[in-house]
Amino acid sequence: MMMKRLAVENPLLLITPSEAEAVSREVLARVSANGKATVNVAHHVTVRTRFANNKTPTMESEDTLDIRLVVNLDGKAAIGGTSRTDTEGLVELVRTTEEAARANEKDSIETGEDLAPPATFADPRIYFDASVNAGASKFQGDVARNAAARAAAAGLIAAGTVEVTAGFLLVMNSAGFRGHTRNTYGEFAMTARTKDGKGSGWAWAGGEDFSHVDPEVVVERSVDLCQRSDKPVAVEPGRYTVILEPEAVAQLMATVTGDPTRFMSAFLADEGVTAYSKKEGGNKIGLKMADERVEILYDPEDPDLPFSPLNDDGSLFSRTHWFERGILTNLAWDPWYASRHNRKPLGNPLGRAKLDIAGSKQTLEQMIASTKRGIWVHHFTAVAPLNDRTLLLTGVTRDGTFLIENGKVAKAIKNLRFNESPFFFLNKLDAFGPSGRASANWAAPRLKVHDFEFTSLSDAV
Amino acid sequence: MPLTRRLFVRHATTAAAGLIGAPLLPSSWLAARHSADELLDGAAAPYDDADVRALAMRALDAARAAGAKYADVRINQSRLLLLSMNTGTIPADITFMLPAVSSRVTVGVRVVIDGAWGFAGGSTLTPEGVERFARYAAGFARDGRQRLPTAWEYAAAPVVPDGRWETPIETDPFTIPIAQYLQIYRDGMTEAKKIKEARCGAQVYWSKSDRLFASTEGSMIGQRIYESNPRVMAYSARPGDRRLFGYAEVELPSGGYGYETLAKANLKAEWPRAAQDAVRQAARPFKTAAIGRCDVVLGTRVMAALLRPTSRALELDRALGTKANESGTTFAMPPEDIVGHYQLGSKHVTITGDRSRPRATGTTGWDEEGVKPEEFTLVQDGTVVDFVTTRATAPALAAWYARQSMPVRSHGCAARTGRLQPILQLPNLTLKPGAGTTSLDDLVANIKQGYYVEDAYLSSDQQQLNVQVTASAAYEIVRGKLGAAVVDMGLQFTLPRFWQSLVALGGVGSAKLESISVDQSDPDRLEFVGACTVPALVRQLNVMSDGKEA
């Protein structure tokens, strides 16, 4: 691969492994002799350009450096953080963290007691010079100006964001584990609106390798959706067959492995507070919760959603199914909770996961052609759980909602609020496409689902 | 000058790549709890330190040298203490999560060149670091600007050459050893867990932020902002479905408070009382809601939650389309057609904003654009009369302000500091109480058949128009009295319809200051603001039930 020279002052410049290791060694050297410690050095730099009203008002960079220490002193533990890398700052980090640990109870949960043993791992390809180059302000300014010019030429008003992040993580512990990783991620999203505010279209593309993100495709798609969604008419809320674009599926699925299930925590499921809790107590592992073709999994090597196997406690992620043949097969086991249940700890990589559905795939055209009456959804707004126990969600469609009649896209319709749970619609599958990248953290297919419940109409565009 | 600081300076200038240089900080910014020492040696507050001020000036000089027409710089030293604990089945006794302590120093430089904004921020608080951020920001503004020059408008604000403001507290929570906090909570919880059917949890959150703001206009402002957000909870599983809980909290003040609030609290007595309350709640008969239109009384927490989408709809940047690709726009646009005309609600509805209410979480001496906040009215007797503004947005309403003989000025709603670019953020909000002495009970007594929603969370669309409320604590009202608890209840309405159907408000005696979350948790963000509300009676709302399971 040809290495492009970095722009002279590209802000996407990460701390080097040797700099991070020096910081980490200094922290470990200062931890008390009886201490078991894990140190993280995490560094993220983002360059972002936002434009709106066909203008480019702001470009910004955010540089976040975080030194994190988990220390366990004879069974008493605490966690500390600082942004400082100088000796004085690191001394302070160790002092305050150890003081907090000494004040703590023994056997607090999350003890930081079981240190990861030394291990090696290999990252998939997740760091790309093309993405680093996309952090250059000239490049981002051009993307924004071109998008705005295209929207203006079409008589529309555009707003959008182009954003690239480079990240670094080093993990070291007092048992000799040492590992580091770096990655890039970039995305471009645009919303085009008609001047009278009656039509709106949104499109997105993103991934670790920004050379696969084509801003022009995003611009054309949002402009096209906006034009076709203009002057929508109202349809009655109710149960409809829906075709959900992969990006919309990802918005709903993010709740399955994310915060509403507290990242699939086995502890919280057993505590009775998540969708994986049984009414009578205990969790739902082993229960069929979705259509038997449904697989939900993560895999660091998955080309659709690659990530580093390195977890911040030094444990390593490997291919794991949360759901297999529709059955809940795993929950996330924190080390402290796993040890109380004689289980192996199992991590959740920030909710990252893929929805894959086994069986023969359909194209969009096939899905539309076989629909007598249905609604085609591109994007939702504000997806939020109504009920953590059932994972019943609500949200409102936006940026391109269409009525399908007799196998054809008939007209643009006003937006609708839905009340649905992934564990309802994953049992109502009519058709599905291949899975692909659909958000920063999810890969998902286009879905066709029957009896998707819309509860009210919204005049919002 | 303390020796340590000199060492930093030397270390910083020799750091190889300049990426991980040491911050240039006075020792008073270093230690988590050296306030006593500061007093002893007579050292000035950190934002008064000459070296930190010099660093801010250096950033501004670098921005000017790079061609900035205007520039500002923010430095934030934040400290955070988080503790959480609960009684649980596993292990059976009190469980403490790991105490978390953090200390971060960040800096950001914002510039304007040819009408375009650039911003760069990070944690490299060295002379080289701040100069680099200034250069980045200038490069961003240059490369992001329009091909044709654009006018740059920034509402005027008085220059504050030497501003100082601190949250008025009695005891800095960071002077108290962590062991003391744990002891207080352990003692309270030991009493609370004697109530066998209840489980208990608590979260301790203290933050302290030392900030310096400087601008090329000549302002230099130092602030120390404290925030406390404690939660002391008890819950009890309902027989028959252990996923449903009775829930109660010990009321501790949250907002601009110090350790004194905890020192005055009597957790040993109050926590068992909350636990008993939770057990009573769990034993209370419960039912699901009857679907249909109904009169509803909403408590102060729900009204506080509703002030969020209502005032979001009146964010001027949103109304100008700036957030169209992200969280969306608003039903209240274009702003020049809305202001002075739009009937948002009934005559009972008056909503004000401020960042100056004593003790509220969003309160500050100056905002992140150096503006002294003032109270302002968003909705007067049901009509929208203003928007939430910053210096960058306020000029869009110049014509309206001129007609009202008001100056074009920011309402001081710029938030986010340090490594993050300031944005327009919601201020503290107030729903004006009704005249008279109406209490919550009086409102409930007015209803033959309906519901009282005590607590809820809500979802609104990208124009803050269609809102769905999910009740987390609700009761039926039968002949003017509270009856059974209601589970899985929701409400759905459009926001203007809601405010237009509001027929009565509690009086000033029923007012309560709540905290609402407006941003993610991050030391450089404004996470909570205050919302002072009263209970309300709203006629004929659409009631839903959302308890179905797969």
Side-chain angles (χ1 to χ4, degrees), chain B residues 119-130:
Chain B
F119 174 89
S123 44
T124 332
L125 202 69
T126 62
E128 293 74 18
V130 298

Side-chain angles (χ1 to χ4, degrees), chain A residues 34-334:
Chain A
N34 58 339
K36 295 178 174 177
T38 301
V39 182
N40 289 171
V41 178
H43 188 211
H44 297 272
V45 191
T46 299
V47 178
R48 181 186 299 124
T49 300
R50 285 198 180 94
F51 61 101
N53 294 318
N54 297 347
K55 291 196 290 262
T56 55
T58 74
M59 198 182 293
E60 63 184 2
S61 70
E62 270 169 40
D63 181 320
T64 308
L65 183 65
D66 194 12
I67 322 298
R68 181 173 169 270
L69 168 67
V70 181
V71 68
N72 182 305
L73 301 171
D74 302 324
K76 296 174 160 194
I79 179 169
T82 184
S83 60
R84 297 178 50 187
T85 53
D86 60 297
T87 296
E88 202 78 17
L90 300 178
V91 166
E92 182 66 14
L93 171 69
V94 174
R95 189 182 70 73
T96 54
T97 314
E98 290 202 342
E99 185 189 325
R102 285 192 192 96
N104 199 7
E105 305 270 307
K106 271 200 177 191
D107 287 331
S108 63
I109 62 177
E110 300 180 283
T111 57
E113 179 121 43
D114 302 313
L115 298 179
T120 56
F121 63 93
D123 271 345
R125 284 204 67 199
I126 49 174
Y127 183 90
F128 293 87
D129 291 321
S131 300
V132 175
N133 289 331
S137 48
K138 274 231 165 350
F139 172 83
Q140 295 203 354
D142 284 341
V143 169
R145 274 183 296 267
N146 293 342
R150 172 69 181 94
L156 304 175
I157 298 168
T161 304
V162 50
E163 166 171 344
V164 185
T165 297
F168 172 91
L169 172 68
L170 172 96
V171 182
M172 282 178 76
N173 68 24
S174 50
F177 180 92
R178 185 207 165 285
H180 74 270
T181 178
R182 62 176 187 166
N183 74 303
T184 52
Y185 175 79
E187 61 180 33
F188 175 55
M190 174 168 141
T191 301
R193 293 172 63 81
T194 57
K195 282 185 176 155
D196 62 1
K198 302 286 187 212
S200 179
W202 171 86
W204 168 93
E208 283 65 32
D209 181 359
F210 203 85
S211 68
H212 291 170
V213 172
D214 187 342
E216 279 182 34
V217 170
V218 172
V219 171
E220 291 308 319
R221 193 168 141 91
S222 64
V223 164
D224 173 57
L225 267 174
C226 172
Q227 288 168 335
R228 287 192 290 122
S229 73
D230 197 11
K231 313 261 180 318
V233 297
V235 299
E236 278 298 305
R239 294 186 165 215
Y240 284 84
T241 292
V242 290
I243 297 173
L244 304 171
E245 286 298 300
E247 291 85 353
V249 173
Q251 285 182 287
L252 302 179
M253 292 304 297
T255 59
V256 171
T257 54
D259 188 62
T261 66
R262 307 300 173 268
F263 295 88
M264 306 218 52
S265 160
F267 169 64
L268 292 173
D270 287 347
E271 287 283 287
V273 297
T274 79
Y276 305 122
S277 307
K278 282 206 286 206
K279 194 172 181 175
E280 59 278 15
N283 63 56
K284 291 183 176 171
I285 287 181
L287 289 188
K288 188 167 170 299
M289 295 181 73
D291 185 301
E292 64 195 11
R293 294 167 294 180
V294 168
E295 317 267 309
I296 300 176
L297 69 155
Y298 65 78
D299 181 356
E301 299 289 335
D302 187 337
D304 285 335
L305 189 67
F307 60 94
S308 173
L310 180 62
N311 198 355
D312 58 12
D313 62 359
S315 64
L316 299 177
F317 295 115
S318 60
R319 182 180 168 91
T320 298
H321 272 81
W322 297 122
F323 287 83
E324 213 164 352
R325 293 186 293 281
I327 297 167
L328 178 69
T329 48
N330 274 308
L331 288 168
W333 295 84
D334 294 327

Side-chain angles (χ1 to χ4, degrees), chain B residues 130-143:
Chain B
V130 298
E131 282 179 2
R132 195 173 63 246
F133 292 136
R135 274 200 314 278
Y136 284 164
F140 292 162
R142 267 184 222 294
D143 290 339

